[in-house]
Amino acid sequence: MTAVLDYHQTTKHSFHRFARSLGYLDWAAQPDPFRRYDSAPRLPLPRAALRPDLPYTDLFTGAALAAPMDLPAVGELLRCAMGLSAWKQHQSSRWALRVNPSSGNLHPTESYIVWNGRVCHYAPREHQLEVRAELAAADRVNAGQESAPTAFLVGLTSILWREAWKYGERAFRYCQHDVGHAIGAFRFAASLLGWQMSLIDCADDEIGALLGTSRDQDYADAEREEPECLFLLTRDGHSTIDVSTLAADARSATWAGTANTLSRSHVEWPVIDDVADATRKGTKGKGDGEKGTELARSQGPREKGTDQAPAKLTARQTILQRRSALGFDAASPLPKAQFLSMLARLRPGPPPWDAIDWPPHVHLAIFVHRVDGLLPGLYFYVRDASARDELRAATNPDFLWEPTNDSNDSNDSNDSNLFLLVPTDVRFAANRLSCDQDIAADGFFSLGMIARLDSALRERGDWFYRRLYWECGLIGQVLYLEAEAAGARATGIGCFYDDPVHEALGLSGMTWQSLYHFSMGVPVDDGRLTSEPGYDGGW
Ligand SMILES: Cc1cc2nc3c(=O)[nH]c(=O)nc-3n(C[C@H](O)[C@H](O)[C@H](O)COP(=O)(O)O)c2cc1C
């Protein structure tokens, strides 16, 4: 077994044993949720709501006119992707929530921009840029000093320790989910501003050099950041940036700022170091690049039904009000048309799917509890029709695989990729399999994201392990927003019993593995918490 599959196997939760962790929370070592680069020059970002009236559905169509890539727009991008969404308080504890969700609200994902010749770290609490380096003028990104550029880069890194502090060995998985959510958050914020966004195929070493996270001298005892991904943002979809030249420039640039230490003590989890090492991306990946891009982006127009969701909220409101439900009312139903419309958002092609360069590897096993017009039961939603026969052959032979579209109903917009496997009450199973969490049973539905694992890693390389989680996080981010737009709420579920899920589906081996669970319903709030806006003035 490869190191990656070994990590995956080792970090499974089972009914009898959770993946290894401390087993208690060492509050004295709780990581600071905010990374700072002390002594780096600060660039306060404008606080202006741009595009406040853009309809929610325009996030998926690319209909917004492209904003200039100036400082106000960069500020709005960061605010709507990684900014603070609220401050919560219970008794003497006060904590920030963010626009992007994170397992345990630990926020391992840090974000950077390389904009107008500057490499900047985003400090969300202050809504400031920390200018880490100025690149040589010759390498400025498609721009003179005075004018706004027509393209720039967004980079993401993970501070693996933040999740490991609480979750131990399974934490690497959660960091990767969170990267996926952050990619989605950036893609939607870019859509709000009318910008294109696409993943750049480059080596992690280059990302580390460009963002400065490979600079030992700036970290001393501070927790390191793992380079994850780099995205090109453009106004026109055509501008390009030569990352290798910028990375070479960054290597010889003068850097400012040293990283703050987040915890006063640490616990070593060597399997996390090992899997991080094994999944680092070298140069251009096998099976990646042009072919993948073409596949991922050529899946044609969206299905009928995608725009059926009621879009009373604006795009910006929807993005900023996203929250995780703490519990559901165990009563309210979701209309079938709305459910199908949400699923259709997960088909490749339009944003946010144009940001990644591989075709769907993740499909959904759905526990339907309360969808009007559908029998309660276990369903499968196949995001890429070509995977259906393979999934059918891999799952329990007793499953019905009955199409759910009604051929006699011309209003039925179902694209027939949703199949009924077993009509039955699946509330107990959903709850039990998701670590006995009520949120998996009390909503409209919950689901397991079933990813093609070992063949994908064999074909592409172990680095693809991270991308499978990014795809899951992106699915989650779409569903989080869809829930808000439908007047409901969602919650990501990282805690589930891995192999019992596979057994329930009849899956064996490592070909298909559940990587993330998710739930949606009408929320019941915890009245003990008080809430304040993320920033003064509530902007
Ligand atoms: C990858 C991931 C896994 C999560 N797993 C769970 C879970 O198992 N149970 C749960 O109640 N919430 C879970 N959550 C929700 C987080 O606790 C929530 O995102 C975090 O507290 C921040 O709150 P917010 O989403 O309202 O901003 C998960 C979120 C993410 C992104």
Side-chain angles (χ1 to χ4, degrees):
M1 199 182 276
T2 64
V4 177
L5 292 180
D6 196 35
Y7 169 80
H8 189 71
Q9 193 63 30
T10 307
T11 54
K12 286 179 171 174
H13 287 330
S14 77
F15 287 146
H16 311 293
R17 187 186 75 88
F18 282 99
R20 255 186 304 276
S21 69
L22 268 193
Y24 63 92
L25 290 177
D26 177 6
W27 289 110
Q30 185 183 18
D32 183 337
F34 298 108
R35 159 99 333 144
R36 298 308 310 265
Y37 283 91
D38 297 330
S39 77
R42 309 272 155 88
L43 188 57
L45 287 164
R47 299 181 175 213
L50 306 181
R51 306 288 160 79
D53 301 324
L54 191 82
Y56 168 70
T57 49
D58 284 8
L59 289 180
F60 300 89
T61 62
L65 284 179
M69 291 181 146
D70 55 13
L71 205 57
V74 165
E76 180 73 333
L77 176 84
L78 290 162
R79 196 266 177 276
C80 291
M82 304 295 277
L84 304 189
S85 54
W87 283 95
K88 294 276 171 187
Q89 183 147 6
H90 179 54
Q91 295 171 347
S92 59
S93 306
R94 189 168 185 264
W95 64 97
L97 296 180
R98 305 197 196 183
V99 173
N100 57 313
S102 167
S103 184
N105 200 31
L106 295 164
H107 290 285
T109 318
E110 295 292 322
S111 58
Y112 291 79
I113 60 166
V114 183
W115 175 80
N116 226 4
R118 295 182 176 129
V119 181
C120 305
H121 171 251
Y122 179 54
R125 183 175 43 193
E126 297 76 11
H127 192 53
Q128 283 180 348
L129 293 175
E130 295 169 329
V131 184
R132 294 272 286 132
E134 302 258 358
L135 303 181
D139 292 331
R140 279 177 192 266
V141 179
N142 271 340
Q145 290 215 17
E146 306 306 325
S147 61
T150 55
F152 67 97
L153 303 176
V154 164
L156 299 177
T157 66
S158 293
I159 303 179
L160 302 176
W161 163 248
R162 281 218 178 101
E163 291 282 334
W165 166 72
K166 181 169 181 185
Y167 296 111
E169 293 189 346
R170 199 170 160 100
F172 183 77
R173 299 180 179 211
Y174 298 152
C175 291
Q176 300 307 319
H177 290 126
D178 282 9
V179 170
H181 280 287
I183 293 171
F186 266 108
R187 181 61 191 102
F188 286 125
S191 253
L192 181 74
L193 295 159
W195 298 342
Q196 309 294 312
M197 173 170 149
S198 54
L199 182 66
I200 297 179
D201 183 19
C202 60
D204 287 353
D205 278 357
E206 255 176 6
I207 302 177
L210 180 58
L211 304 183
T213 54
S214 59
R215 292 172 49 80
D216 296 344
Q217 61 272 44
D218 297 343
Y219 290 85
D221 296 330
E223 297 78 3
R224 298 305 289 257
E225 295 177 31
E226 180 70 24
E228 298 286 1
C229 46
L230 203 59
F231 286 87
L232 174 68
L233 278 78
T234 66
R235 296 189 71 213
D236 55 11
H238 302 300
S239 303
T240 56
I241 290 177
D242 180 355
V243 172
S244 301
T245 308
L246 284 184
D249 192 7
R251 285 191 176 96
S252 58
T254 304
W255 288 75
T258 48
N260 60 341
T261 301
L262 305 176
S263 289
R264 61 168 88 146
S265 64
H266 303 90
V267 176
E268 299 294 325
W269 297 102
V271 298
I272 292 188
D273 299 334
D274 293 347
V275 71
D277 210 30
T279 55
R280 265 181 215 122
K281 190 165 184 299
T283 46
K284 200 171 170 69
K286 200 166 65 158
D288 195 17
E290 289 309 308
K291 187 162 164 266
T293 306
E294 203 182 294
L295 268 172
R297 293 179 187 147
S298 67
Q299 304 272 334
R302 292 194 319 279
E303 294 73 32
K304 284 193 290 174
T306 306
D307 288 330
Q308 285 180 1
K312 296 189 187 79
L313 289 171
T314 67
R316 193 172 191 276
Q317 277 174 307
T318 312
I319 287 173
L320 296 184
Q321 75 168 43
R322 183 217 60 79
R323 299 275 187 292
S324 293
L326 303 174
F328 296 120
D329 69 359
S332 306
L334 179 72
K336 178 181 171 189
Q338 234 171 327
F339 178 57
L340 297 178
S341 156
M342 290 174 176
L343 295 178
R345 296 269 190 229
L346 305 177
R347 302 294 304 282
W353 302 107
D354 56 349
I356 58 172
D357 63 4
W358 65 92
H361 278 60
V362 181
H363 308 276
L364 310 180
I366 311 181
F367 301 90
V368 170
H369 309 308
R370 296 171 193 87
V371 175
D372 271 348
L374 282 182
L375 290 171
L378 180 61
Y379 290 73
F380 223 104
Y381 183 68
V382 184
R383 292 179 56 237
D384 172 355
S386 66
R388 189 194 63 175
D389 291 346
E390 203 186 326
L391 278 162
R392 187 173 184 160
T395 48
N396 186 331
D398 293 334
F399 286 164
L400 298 176
W401 286 90
E402 198 174 284
T404 58
N405 57 329
D406 181 353
S407 49
N408 297 320
D409 179 358
S410 59
N411 291 323
D412 191 334
S413 59
N414 189 354
D415 54 20
S416 59
N417 281 344
L418 179 68
F419 299 93
L420 172 63
L421 306 185
V422 188
T424 187
D425 182 344
V426 282
R427 285 175 299 176
F428 176 79
N431 174 305
R432 181 80 181 111
L433 293 171
S434 284
C435 293
D436 306 288
Q437 299 188 75
D438 291 344
I439 44 169
D442 289 348
F444 311 138
F445 63 88
S446 64
L447 57 86
M449 301 189 196
I450 310 300
R452 183 192 296 282
L453 184 65
D454 68 354
S455 61
L457 302 191
R458 262 199 319 274
E459 280 162 26
R460 288 167 176 264
D462 287 342
W463 54 270
F464 203 70
Y465 186 61
R466 299 189 190 202
R467 279 161 171 72
L468 292 175
Y469 286 94
W470 300 354
E471 189 175 330
C472 292
L474 264 168
I475 292 172
Q477 195 64 17
V478 172
L479 293 179
Y480 262 120
L481 294 197
E482 284 288 292
E484 297 294 336
R489 190 140 277 179
T491 302
I493 301 181
C495 188
F496 55 88
Y497 299 118
D498 299 67
D499 283 338
V501 176
H502 305 139
E503 281 154 30
L505 295 172
L507 295 169
S508 57
M510 295 283 250
T511 309
W512 296 99
Q513 296 277 290
S514 190
L515 298 188
Y516 191 22
H517 284 203
F518 206 80
S519 59
M520 192 190 292
V522 169
V524 281
D525 287 330
D526 184 342
R528 294 169 307 168
L529 304 186
T530 58
S531 189
E532 288 167 41
Y535 298 98
D536 284 346
W539 128 91

